[in-house]
Amino acid sequence: MSPSKTTKSSSQSKISLTNPSIPLNSLILVTGCNGLLASHVADQLLAAGYRVRGTVRNPDKCSYLTSLYSHRHGGPGKFELVEISDVTAPNAWDDAVKGVAGIVHCVGATDLTIQESDSAAQEELEWQVGLLEAARRAGTVKSFVFTSSAWALWMPDASKKVTLTEQSWNEDAVALARDKNVDPKTKGMAGFMALKTLVEQGIWEWVKREKPGFAFNTVLLDTVLGECLDPKNQGIPSTLGMVHWIWENKHMAIIDLMEPQWFVDCVDMAKVYVAALASSPKVDRERLFVFGERYSFGEVARLLGEMFPERTEKFGKPKKEGWDQTEVPNQRAEELLKRVGQKKGWTGLKESVRANAESILRLEREGGTGAPQSTYAR
């Protein structure tokens, strides 16, 4: 069965760019293109009028992306796959960056069990900086958007009132990860949060020191919910998969570890990437809080029960209660979302949960394992 176009939610509109800082039909590099984030970014770049070169570890296993985008965007020729089997190899990125006008970088570590965050960050920074240096050598890159994490900002805790700013860093996680007097078993995901913090800090240090000629911004993402573009081939990946867990009443112990925090819809997220990369006036040297609304997995389960009452008894019942009290400066990212045509701003939780559920139903209809494909992250 060929991929089907998904109807946009009531709050979402087609992406459009006015006087873009990168001319339409330019070639944009998107790394890790088979992943949840990157697949949506590529989709919105193509919708906006760009050509896309997507990097993957194994093009043969990801060939479905070519037919997916051809179907969604009126035929072949606008999207190409390139292989980078080892991002840590010397000059791994050089061929991929040739002739590109912009880069959206979505590849990063996803191992939540990391304990030695300092050594892991040093290792990751070598190949992350390798892409920045390759972009500078290419001489054609006008804009670069780097994917970071909300966990580089703070450790979510629904019991605390916190105000985050562009100068916020998760130093609490770094200190806890480094504390040899604390049992590693009690540190939770502090090591992973520390890794995200240290990597983004290291990237900004490089940018401030080297002063590359291209625009540079980081996107800070919390939980991403919504539509999967191709469930049969992608599964229900990343945090979309947590909604799938509730749907199937699996891995609820992990769900119960997740604090209420913020989420963003997949399509909204991708549009902000495009706006940061190429909208006019140019966006440069900013940390963008791509946070749509507060959520909890308890509320997600409640909404699923409201939408599918016949399935309610089968859904998992998250135990975590409360509501996030964190204040975040997400107005700038919402401004960029509106700049590319989405005048109503962020998509609401109910719409995103419905899109997430429709992807699960599509997976059930079309088959597939439901297990997400791996990207480069280790």
Side-chain angles (χ1 to χ4, degrees):
M1 182 180 295
S2 62
S4 61
K5 293 186 178 180
T6 300
T7 302
K8 296 182 179 67
S9 76
S10 59
S11 68
Q12 290 170 342
S13 55
K14 184 175 179 179
I15 191 167
S16 61
L17 289 164
T18 303
N19 299 319
S21 58
I22 297 176
L24 298 181
N25 203 43
S26 297
L27 181 61
I28 308 298
L29 180 71
V30 179
T31 66
C33 209
N34 57 314
L36 171 67
L37 310 183
S39 63
H40 274 281
V41 171
D43 189 54
Q44 290 301 316
L45 284 164
L46 291 163
Y50 289 103
R51 293 177 294 124
V52 173
R53 175 181 292 160
T55 75
V56 293
R57 182 179 287 163
N58 187 326
D60 291 337
K61 290 184 178 180
C62 298
S63 60
Y64 68 89
L65 288 168
T66 302
S67 58
L68 172 72
Y69 294 132
S70 177
H71 180 80
R72 289 175 67 87
H73 300 289
K78 296 291 187 178
F79 176 80
E80 63 180 91
L81 280 174
V82 296
E83 177 180 356
I84 299 184
S85 58
D86 181 5
V87 296
T88 68
N91 303 314
W93 304 102
D94 284 2
D95 288 340
V97 301
K98 288 180 180 177
V100 304
I103 297 174
V104 176
H105 188 32
C106 297
V107 175
T110 58
D111 182 359
L112 301 180
T113 66
I114 286 172
Q115 294 292 328
E116 297 297 329
S117 51
D118 285 291
S119 58
Q122 183 177 359
E123 177 185 344
E124 183 172 335
L125 274 168
E126 289 183 8
W127 58 265
Q128 297 283 20
V129 167
L131 176 54
L132 287 164
E133 292 176 339
R136 183 169 58 178
R137 288 194 301 271
T140 57
V141 177
K142 297 181 179 181
S143 185
F144 189 119
V145 184
F146 179 88
T147 302
S148 187
S149 168
W151 287 351
L153 295 163
W154 96 121
M155 300 175 73
D157 185 341
S159 69
K160 297 179 180 179
K161 293 183 178 180
V162 178
T163 299
L164 299 176
T165 71
E166 279 198 57
Q167 288 72 49
S168 296
W169 295 101
N170 197 345
E171 300 296 354
D172 290 341
V174 174
L176 179 56
R178 289 172 173 168
D179 193 336
K180 302 299 183 183
N181 296 316
V182 178
D183 185 344
K185 295 180 181 179
T186 67
K187 292 183 180 183
M189 291 182 284
F192 181 73
M193 294 180 181
L195 170 64
K196 290 298 185 182
T197 305
L198 295 168
V199 167
E200 192 192 348
Q201 287 176 333
I203 293 294
W204 277 114
E205 288 171 5
W206 184 91
V207 170
K208 291 173 182 176
R209 181 179 67 249
E210 301 296 329
K211 299 179 175 60
F214 46 78
F216 178 83
N217 301 282
T218 60
V219 165
L220 297 152
L221 293 175
D222 208 325
T223 304
V224 179
L225 302 176
E227 173 194 8
C228 176
L229 294 176
D230 190 345
K232 182 175 181 179
N233 287 295
Q234 292 180 291
I236 307 295
S238 189
T239 44
L240 272 62
M242 293 185 171
V243 179
H244 198 193
W245 292 349
I246 295 173
W247 184 275
E248 296 193 329
N249 194 14
K250 294 180 178 179
H251 310 300
M252 294 306 296
I254 300 175
I255 293 290
D256 289 336
L257 293 174
M258 299 297 292
E259 285 284 324
Q261 46 198 283
W262 288 72
F263 95 99
V264 66
D265 182 85
C266 296
V267 178
D268 291 4
M269 167 211 70
K271 289 179 177 179
V272 175
Y273 272 98
V274 177
L277 185 81
S279 67
S280 182
K282 183 171 69 173
V283 185
D284 193 15
R285 302 316 194 253
E286 297 187 41
R287 297 178 83 201
L288 299 168
F289 284 64
V290 185
F291 291 46
E293 285 186 357
R294 293 176 175 88
Y295 88 103
S296 71
F297 278 117
E299 180 66 5
V300 169
R302 189 194 69 77
L303 288 170
L304 286 173
E306 179 183 291
M307 295 171 193
F308 304 94
E310 73 283 2
R311 293 176 177 252
T312 299
E313 295 306 314
K314 297 180 180 180
F315 296 152
K317 304 296 188 291
K319 296 177 181 178
K320 186 74 71 173
E321 297 181 357
W323 205 243
D324 183 82
Q325 302 181 70
T326 308
E327 296 297 328
V328 299
N330 63 344
Q331 299 85 359
R332 172 59 166 163
E334 185 174 26
E335 173 194 328
L336 295 179
L337 181 62
K338 292 178 178 179
R339 186 189 286 185
V340 295
Q342 192 155 305
K343 300 305 181 185
K344 292 184 179 180
W346 302 113
T347 300
L349 179 62
K350 186 172 184 178
E351 291 175 273
S352 294
V353 171
R354 184 178 296 280
N356 213 140
E358 288 174 351
S359 294
I360 296 169
L361 289 169
R362 184 176 161 195
L363 176 68
E364 292 178 352
R365 290 194 306 269
E366 297 181 4
T369 65
Q373 293 190 3
S374 63
T375 55
Y376 300 100
R378 303 182 309 285

